Amino acid sequence: SKVDVVTVPVIRSYVAHRKDEGYMPASINFELSCFKWLFKAFYAEGLVRYNPAIEVKYPRTIRPLRSVPETMIRKPFIHE
């Protein structure tokens, strides 16, 4: 079947392509989780022998550091 042509290298190539297109890691992670769910369903129905998406790692999401408001820096925590 056509599902059999989707292999680990194909999915990794797709993830790399999405990165190159400028998609954010969170968007790619969402798509990858959809692949994983889809292949899990295919496996349950006997359409595939294994889930190639489970071998592909999620891209790391970069979270910005939280900043402390300027008013909190100047204000003492304990009033004397």
Side-chain angles (χ1 to χ4, degrees):
S1 71
K2 291 184 180 183
V3 177
D4 294 331
V5 299
V6 180
T7 60
V8 174
V10 170
I11 296 173
R12 285 187 179 137
S13 175
Y14 175 79
V15 169
H17 176 70
R18 297 301 267 180
K19 284 181 185 177
D20 292 343
E21 287 182 331
Y23 283 86
M24 298 298 291
S27 298
I28 299 169
N29 288 344
F30 176 76
E31 292 175 348
L32 188 53
S33 69
C34 290
F35 277 125
K36 289 180 181 190
W37 177 86
L38 183 65
F39 275 92
K40 185 177 180 180
F42 287 160
Y43 181 80
E45 292 293 321
L47 299 173
V48 295
R49 286 186 240 157
Y50 77 105
N51 182 347
I54 62 172
E55 295 184 35
V56 180
K57 296 202 184 271
Y58 289 104
R60 185 169 177 232
T61 56
I62 300 170
R63 296 186 179 131
L65 293 175
R66 293 185 182 189
S67 61
V68 178
E70 189 70 28
T71 55
M72 289 187 74
I73 295 173
R74 294 181 186 168
K75 185 177 179 180
F77 289 106
I78 302 174
H79 297 286
E80 296 180 34

